[in-house]
Amino acid sequence: MRKNLFRFSALILAALIVCSLAPFVPAAERTHTAVILFTHDLHSHFMPQAEEDGGTFGGYARLKTAIDEEREEHPGALLVDGGDFSISSLIQTLYTTQAAELRTMGALGYDAAALGNHEFDHAGTGLASMLEAAADSGGPLPVLLNANYRPAEGNPDQGRILGAMDRYGVREAMILERDGVRYGIFGLMGEDSHDCAPTSGFALENMALAAERCVADLKAQGAQFVICLSHSGTLEGRGEDYELARAVDGIDLIVSGHTHTTLGQPIVVNGTYIVSAGPYCRNLGSITLSWSESGGKTLEDYRLIPIDETRPEDPAIAALVEGWKEQVGETYLKGYGLTYDQVLTVSGFGLPTPRSGVQEGNSLGELVADAFLYAAKTVDQAVGREYQPTVAVTADGVLRAGLAAGEITVSQAFDVLSMGVGSDGTSGFPLVAVYLTGAELRDALEVDASVAPIMPAAQLYCAGVRYAFNPHRIFFNRVTGAQLCEETVRTEPASAAGSAGDSEEFGYVVTYRDVTHSEIDDRRLYRVVTGMYSAQMLGTVKSKSMGLLSLEPKMADGSPVTDFNDCILRNENGSEIKEWYALARYLQFFGGEGIPDRYAAPDGRKQVSRSWSPVEILKNPNWITLLVLAMILLAGAAVIYTVCRIAHRRRQRKNQ
């Protein structure tokens, strides 16, 4: 009995000791999990696009199916976008009036999105119109986040733009609670993005300063997981978002847009995960991260979910997209006498977009340049303008999509040249005609030869001129020869040429005959036809090359261009000739016979020699090469002089 009482007393004492120590025993740490679905650089890719090697990719109806599948497995998953959700398909023509992109993203279930540079292609007032149209729709919309980009002081439309942003609810950052996790999300615009939006009328705040402010504010509001939707980008594992993560503590995840990067695995910098899913709705990105209260994150899952023909379409989104297509036909295309899916011609081969680092030519670029030349000459005939030697130019950076083999439609032609807006306020850059001296024309070709290797978007494709260069020669002296290609032409009224060449806009069909080549006169003015964006970039060549290349676009009388709107190529009715429309009419000219086989491969108008022969490297030197050679000779002489002096002193010491 006494023994049992002793045992009972011991148990009671042990229990009291355990209870008294309980407050000092740490509780098990709670683990949180975040699932984020993400996209960026969707670029109005509402419809599936053809792959160059067969199959299709993208399309918002397919994307919705993938989103629903992921959210069925992870009901608390966030869905966010890193910007550039607009510009690059015909549906973008509804941007300012219907806000088709934002309204469709709302129907897809996006929680938040950043603004990208292409949201400003219609300038700040275009953005305002889009925000107002979206707010008027009354439907679901993603929250737009923008912490470091505001209308500049002195912008005459500042009041209207800020009013539209306020009405829509654009904000720097937001708190979103989902499945017990308190998320803090903010949006940023990058420096290069700002440079790519020259007509925005907005001013950029330093990214790091804005991010530090947002992180502090969100943490103060109890954010457990901080996400940055950044339209800044990464390049080869580095870039603006990499530097942002290095500079700013406390960002858990950066969804990185702008550079169209596809990251098979996240980049981890300073505890921040950087992710990119690739452009044009090719993939839906998914990342799952877990963390404990004491800090430290663990990557549980990372996937890029393909949006391709194996994925069924969501019927509701498919119907919504069809509705947008009908509106495009009733509004934008009606003025051109075209329809969305109208077949222009056929092709027995694909014409892909240029590949970086390949300077020997590109069939798509050459086709587009020829289309610009065709447009210029046919317009000349229609308005009774006297023939003049003309060079047509397009650039890698404006070629937004390739042409797959098979039937080629109006919408596909638009996709190739979908950027920008004209002075008429409608989508599509217009063609412009400026004048350059022969010497300046050679300098423009030097941009292709010298600048393109380090800036692929600057690679040029020309019609009306052929040239040769060697990339091993001294910078800005790589072009070894250039000649004009002038064609003897025959014209006839469109009505006499058959339906393939029928054109209410151009009025004439040009049939090319003999081609003759002539040397370029450095002092003569030559007409150069290109798109508005490329013309504006030509105007910056002198400053960007620090004056090494002298290039100043001129009017026909030789005076400097002060407003490129004065140079827009127009038909006899005064309407702008859009880049995409010039291509569409050129394709339509081929009719049922299809695109000629000469476009199956580059035709040699750009000849690239990679010889290291000293004769070829040094022949026909310009002042830049002579200056470099002089510097090398001076450096060599200095080395020889120094060696001789050292040897002389050693001999003197030895003789002493």
Side-chain angles (χ1 to χ4, degrees):
M1 180 73 178
R2 189 180 303 168
K3 188 175 182 180
N4 290 336
L5 182 61
F6 176 78
R7 286 178 178 174
F8 179 75
S9 300
L11 287 171
I12 294 296
L13 180 61
L16 289 171
I17 292 171
V18 169
C19 290
S20 65
L21 292 175
F24 303 100
V25 177
E29 281 194 316
R30 183 182 175 188
T31 299
H32 301 278
T33 301
V35 180
I36 297 94
L37 308 176
F38 60 92
T39 57
H40 53 87
D41 299 292
L42 291 172
H43 285 295
S44 299
H45 274 53
F46 290 76
M47 306 288 293
Q49 306 290 305
E51 292 277 19
E52 293 171 358
D53 56 354
T56 58
F57 69 91
Y60 293 167
R62 294 172 177 173
L63 176 62
K64 182 62 161 67
T65 301
I67 292 167
D68 288 348
E69 289 174 355
E70 292 301 308
R71 278 187 158 164
E72 184 175 354
E73 187 174 350
H74 306 287
L78 269 61
L79 177 60
V80 296
D81 183 81
D84 268 7
F85 48 77
S86 62
I87 308 300
S88 273
S89 81
L90 266 172
I91 295 179
Q92 78 186 48
T93 61
L94 303 174
Y95 180 77
T96 58
T97 58
Q98 298 297 324
E101 289 84 1
L102 280 181
R103 290 169 66 183
T104 304
M105 291 173 76
L108 289 167
Y110 276 85
D111 294 300
L115 290 172
N117 53 285
H118 281 288
E119 274 69 81
F120 296 89
D121 275 16
H122 290 258
T125 53
L127 174 73
S129 295
M130 184 269 294
L131 295 175
E132 290 163 350
D136 287 342
S137 71
L141 299 166
V143 175
L144 284 178
L145 301 174
N146 169 34
N148 68 327
Y149 212 44
R150 289 290 183 273
E153 293 297 328
N155 184 332
D157 301 303
Q158 184 185 60
R160 189 212 161 178
I161 297 168
L162 289 174
M165 293 172 70
D166 183 62
R167 184 177 170 201
Y168 182 94
V170 180
R171 51 183 116 156
E172 287 196 354
M174 66 182 291
I175 291 287
L176 178 62
E177 205 159 327
R178 188 74 59 79
D179 269 9
V181 177
R182 196 167 174 82
Y183 294 93
I185 315 172
F186 67 100
L188 292 178
M189 178 77 80
E191 291 183 14
D192 187 69
S193 296
H194 173 56
D195 290 343
C196 291
T199 62
S200 69
F202 275 48
L204 185 73
E205 180 189 355
N206 179 272
M207 286 176 63
L209 293 178
E212 288 173 349
R213 181 181 67 250
C214 288
V215 171
D217 290 347
L218 291 169
K219 293 283 190 182
Q221 296 177 62
Q224 300 165 283
F225 192 91
V226 176
I227 302 171
C228 173
L229 306 181
S230 174
H231 201 72
S232 307
T234 60
L235 286 170
E236 298 178 355
R238 304 287 292 190
E240 290 185 53
D241 283 326
Y242 181 96
E243 298 303 325
L244 175 68
R246 278 207 325 172
V248 180
D249 297 331
I251 304 174
D252 295 296
L253 177 69
I254 296 176
V255 175
S256 179
H258 182 56
T259 50
H260 293 198
T261 304
T262 303
L263 292 175
Q265 288 295 322
I267 299 171
V268 185
V269 185
N270 190 25
T272 300
Y273 284 75
I274 304 173
V275 297
S276 294
Y280 306 140
C281 195
R282 282 187 174 275
N283 302 298
L284 171 66
S286 174
I287 184 169
T288 303
L289 291 164
S290 64
W291 76 96
S292 62
E293 297 291 348
S294 61
K297 292 182 289 291
T298 301
L299 179 65
E300 303 289 350
D301 182 50
Y302 181 77
R303 289 172 295 138
L304 301 181
I305 303 157
I307 309 300
D308 56 25
E309 65 273 5
T310 65
R311 198 168 300 282
E313 293 189 342
D314 176 84
I317 298 298
L320 179 61
V321 172
E322 283 300 316
W324 296 135
K325 284 177 58 180
E326 289 177 11
Q327 289 193 47
V328 171
E330 294 166 359
T331 55
Y332 185 77
L333 289 178
K334 186 177 181 179
Y336 293 96
L338 299 171
T339 59
Y340 199 101
D341 294 318
Q342 180 179 340
V343 176
L344 298 170
T345 190
V346 296
S347 179
F349 46 85
L351 291 97
T353 53
R355 288 191 297 127
S356 295
V358 178
Q359 291 185 273
E360 279 77 6
N362 172 266
S363 297
L364 178 65
E366 292 167 7
L367 175 74
V368 170
D370 286 350
F372 291 178
L373 189 62
Y374 171 84
K377 291 188 174 183
T378 49
V379 168
D380 284 350
Q381 291 293 324
V383 301
R385 187 182 294 122
E386 184 179 350
Y387 169 76
Q388 55 187 312
T390 301
V391 174
V393 179
T394 191
D396 182 320
V398 302
L399 302 175
R400 308 296 287 183
L403 294 172
E407 293 183 337
I408 298 176
T409 66
V410 169
S411 64
Q412 290 171 318
F414 184 92
D415 289 350
V416 175
L417 296 160
S418 56
M419 287 178 60
V421 62
S423 65
D424 60 1
T426 66
S427 290
F429 280 128
L431 290 178
V432 299
V434 299
Y435 290 79
L436 299 176
T437 65
E440 289 174 322
L441 181 56
R442 294 179 191 275
D443 281 350
L445 301 178
E446 279 292 351
V447 171
D448 184 37
S450 296
V451 179
I454 56 176
M455 189 184 297
Q459 190 156 206
L460 302 181
Y461 303 97
C462 303
V465 65
R466 68 177 185 181
Y467 57 104
F469 63 87
N470 186 330
H472 299 320
R473 287 168 60 93
I474 299 296
F475 265 98
F476 304 136
N477 189 200
R478 291 180 172 178
V479 174
T480 56
Q483 291 180 314
L484 290 177
C485 304
E486 297 186 22
E487 297 162 304
T488 304
V489 299
R490 175 174 61 84
T491 63
E492 59 184 19
S495 58
S499 60
D502 188 17
S503 169
E504 295 179 4
E505 290 287 330
F506 292 165
Y508 283 78
V509 169
V510 172
T511 304
Y512 301 104
R513 288 294 179 262
D514 297 328
V515 180
T516 59
H517 300 98
S518 60
E519 294 302 317
I520 296 173
D521 183 343
D522 285 351
R523 293 170 295 180
R524 182 179 176 182
L525 282 178
Y526 295 96
R527 184 172 68 158
V528 177
V529 172
T530 187
M532 175 68 81
Y533 184 78
S534 298
Q536 292 168 338
M537 291 301 101
L538 285 175
T540 67
V541 166
K542 186 172 183 178
S543 61
K544 289 184 179 295
S545 67
M546 297 175 291
L548 295 177
L549 296 178
S550 178
L551 201 160
E552 184 178 44
K554 300 171 181 61
M555 305 296 289
D557 62 3
S559 60
V561 172
T562 57
D563 186 349
F564 282 101
N565 287 328
D566 296 334
C567 306
I568 292 174
L569 203 63
R570 301 178 185 274
N571 64 15
E572 63 272 29
N573 299 322
S575 299
E576 296 180 356
I577 303 298
K578 303 284 190 181
E579 286 181 306
W580 77 266
Y581 184 66
L583 175 61
R585 283 306 190 193
Y586 191 53
L587 293 171
Q588 195 173 35
F589 173 67
F590 298 134
E593 295 183 4
I595 297 178
D597 289 342
R598 67 176 181 270
Y599 289 111
D603 63 7
R605 66 185 74 178
K606 183 191 298 191
Q607 300 169 7
V608 183
S609 169
R610 300 184 184 277
S611 170
W612 284 101
S613 164
V615 174
E616 184 170 338
I617 295 295
L618 297 176
K619 71 179 180 181
N620 300 324
N622 65 6
W623 70 269
I624 297 174
T625 297
L626 292 174
L627 179 63
V628 171
L629 290 175
M631 293 173 65
I632 292 173
L633 289 174
L634 286 173
V639 169
I640 293 171
Y641 175 77
T642 302
V643 170
C644 291
R645 289 285 296 172
I646 292 172
H648 178 69
R649 288 176 181 174
R650 286 180 176 175
R651 284 196 299 270
Q652 283 183 327
R653 284 197 297 267
K654 188 175 181 182
N655 293 331
Q656 288 176 351

